[in-house]
Amino acid sequence: MSTTFTVDSATSRATPVSAPMKRLTIPAIRRAKGGTPLVMLTAYTVRTAQLLDPHCDLLLVGDSLGQVVYGLPSTVPVTLEMMAAHGAAVVRGSHHAVVIIDMPFGSYEASPEHAFASASRLLKETGAAGVKMEGGEAMAPQVRFLSERGVPVMGHVGLTPQAVNILGGYGARGRTQEEASRIIDDAHAVSGAGAFSIVVEGVVETIAAEITRMIDVPTIGIGASATCDGQVLVTEDMLGLFERTPRFVKRYGDMAGQISTAVEAYADEVRSRAFPGADQVYAPKS
Ligand code: KIV
């Protein structure tokens, strides 16, 4: 199935759709270093993108969709096809935020050329502005290769969930001096290779603070303290869709509770024949 989209920028001759807010650009995100913190949330669907877009600087089509949308045990089984389909939906649902798509496990690690083939496919099929790639020093050649060929790359260091089979879990990283130094070196390597921004996930505050101080592109933290240049959360986590709330998440809503209450009311009304009522029934033309 093709996920081909139509560009909604004011400059598109094919579909000159009016854009009430101009879409932010990668250079604008870079310039936000050290300024007002950047706001990023995950989005996987068109409607969520529409709701988040006015409030966010960046929308991340995270490979966390593997767990959140598909019920997979980790992000490892997520495919390029899934990312392309959801990425296209999020671009269609937004006109303000920069849309970044995660490169799924297996689509970039083998070589810079493989990474370019995967990333260019994602950008062509979705219209997203850039990709995110997990990994530090080992992925620096990929980051450089893509950045020098027109693909903006957001790095991702610290806790890298695609490496769960090596890490053995999702615990915070950098609690030993040796691991802390490695994460800081990773951030240097990825920013030095041309990443326009770096997600720093699940690290102790001092590491996030040092990385943010040392590199000249914005850091986006998740479980990495307010010292970062911006923050990202999985939207469904912060909206309270799941029972479990990880330590680094703050719940800003009770989506699970609201859905349960609404569905319980619907089920009761269907069973008692209170729904559909007179307002929901078609009448013959008079
Ligand atoms: O996949 C994802 O949602 C992410 C964020 C949590 C940073 O990578």
Side-chain angles (χ1 to χ4, degrees), residues 40 42 44 60 62-65 75 102 132 134 156 199 201 222 232 234:
M40 180 157 94
T42 58
Y44 318 122
L60 173 66
D63 61 354
S64 50
L65 64 79
T75 56
D102 253 335
K132 178 165 79 58
E134 292 185 12
H156 184 155
V199 165
E201 177 166 1
I222 172 163
V232 60
V234 169

Side-chain angles (χ1 to χ4, degrees), residues 90-105:
V90 169
V91 171
R92 283 194 292 269
S94 61
H95 52 251
H96 164 65
V98 170
V99 178
I100 303 298
I101 306 190
D102 253 335
M103 299 273 276
F105 180 68

Side-chain angles (χ1 to χ4, degrees), residues 221-239:
I222 172 163
S225 86
T227 60
C228 295
D229 297 302
Q231 298 294 324
V232 60
L233 284 175
V234 169
T235 298
E236 286 75 359
D237 281 343
M238 58 82 84
L239 290 179

Side-chain angles (χ1 to χ4, degrees), residues 5 10 24 28 38 40 47-48 70 91-92 126 143 150 183 216 221-222 242 272:
F5 71 104
L24 290 169
L38 289 162
M40 180 157 94
R47 186 61 187 137
T48 306
Y70 290 92
V91 171
R92 283 194 292 269
T126 67
V143 175
I183 294 168
D216 62 3
I222 172 163
F242 300 110
S272 66

Side-chain angles (χ1 to χ4, degrees), residues 235-257:
T235 298
E236 286 75 359
D237 281 343
M238 58 82 84
L239 290 179
L241 189 65
F242 300 110
E243 272 68 44
R244 189 178 153 271
T245 309
R247 180 180 160 77
F248 58 86
V249 172
K250 180 172 173 184
R251 277 183 177 228
Y252 290 85
D254 176 28
M255 226 166 105

Side-chain angles (χ1 to χ4, degrees), residues 80 103 107 111-122 145-146:
L80 210 51
M103 299 273 276
S107 71
S111 69
E113 288 79 5
H114 187 211
F116 185 79
S118 303
S120 58
R121 177 177 167 194
L122 286 178
F145 195 86
L146 267 58

Side-chain angles (χ1 to χ4, degrees), residues 6 25 57 70 111 124 129 166 179 181 216 221 228 233 247 277:
T6 48
T25 61
D57 303 305
Y70 290 92
S111 69
K124 278 173 187 284
I166 296 279
E179 208 173 79
S181 304
D216 62 3
C228 295
L233 284 175
R247 180 180 160 77

